[in-house]
Amino acid sequence: NLDNTEIGAIADADPEGLCAADTKLAVSYLYSDYRALLAAEKTAIAVICPRSVAERVPMIEATAAAARRSCCTAPISSV
């Protein structure tokens, strides 16, 4: 049950992906860089969904450095 849960912000370097996420989820804050999101937003948890394997570790490290709890999914693609 996620009735008391809010998606406060989304970051996606891909402009089309960011637009699609906004259309689907109607999020208040959109970022083209996850580091900017981590600097600006004080989220309770960060859900990390990298597009590629190469992005995974830097995203996890940045989230840890920002002292956020996190959940990391498998990359969307293996490229």
Side-chain angles (χ1 to χ4, degrees):
N1 185 342
L2 299 175
D3 290 339
N4 295 322
T5 303
E6 175 186 354
I7 300 173
I10 291 180
D12 193 335
D14 175 36
E16 290 180 17
L18 192 59
C19 183
D22 183 35
T23 299
K24 183 175 183 179
L25 302 171
V27 176
S28 299
Y29 301 99
L30 302 170
Y31 295 87
S32 60
D33 188 312
Y34 65 90
R35 292 165 293 247
L37 183 154
L38 290 170
E41 304 297 329
K42 302 304 177 205
T43 59
I45 188 168
V47 180
I48 303 167
C49 307
R51 289 187 175 274
S52 72
V53 174
E55 296 174 308
R56 188 176 189 162
V57 171
M59 287 179 167
I60 292 169
E61 290 174 341
T63 303
R68 301 295 196 294
R69 292 183 178 112
S70 65
C71 171
C72 186
T73 68
I76 294 172
S77 70
S78 59
V79 178

